Amino acid sequence: HVQLVESGGGSVQAGGSLRLSCAVSGYRHCVAWFRQVPGKAREGVASISSPVGTTHYRDDSLKGRFTISRGSARDTVTLEMNALRPEDTAMYYCAAAFGRVVNSPLSEFDYNVWGQWTQVTVS
């Protein structure tokens, strides 16, 4: 049974940084971060595979500012967010693909376990 617990959201001024953490019970899963703004579709932000650790980012803009990584114990996936912009404001979700082959690392349909969201607000 996989459980995900997010932490680290908050409010920050534009240009600031935040670190989101996702505690994962069991490390042999592809894990991704998604975000959603009310009234809009949820979108993939970044993902990291297991065990190789291949990463994917939504676009070059995020790749240059956000970094997804897995802790040495492989039980935590971190999203380091730098140079934050107001458009990064959203509810951020951690998701895992438990027992699944992931074909589209940033597609929400490839993930079957979701954590509670954590709010990120950039002003």
Side-chain angles (χ1 to χ4, degrees), residues 3-60:
Q3 288 186 316
L4 308 176
V5 179
E6 297 112 330
S7 61
S11 298
V12 66
Q13 291 187 337
S17 299
L18 284 173
R19 176 183 295 176
L20 304 183
S21 293
C22 178
V24 184
S25 60
Y27 64 87
R28 294 190 182 276
H29 317 293
C30 182
V31 176
W33 284 95
F34 291 80
R35 65 186 183 186
Q36 187 170 25
V37 175
K40 294 188 177 181
R42 187 156 49 189
E43 61 182 26
V45 175
S47 68
I48 185 165
S49 70
S50 178
V52 176
T54 301
T55 58
H56 291 85
Y57 296 88
R58 181 173 182 78
D59 54 39
D60 288 342

Side-chain angles (χ1 to χ4, degrees), residues 64-93:
R65 299 185 295 120
F66 291 10
T67 302
I68 189 170
S69 61
R70 197 183 289 269
S72 57
R74 299 190 178 185
D75 58 355
T76 301
V77 173
T78 298
L79 183 68
E80 190 80 38
M81 304 185 295
N82 298 311
L84 282 162
R85 304 168 180 173
E87 54 263 39
D88 294 319
T89 296
M91 299 179 292
Y92 281 72
Y93 297 82

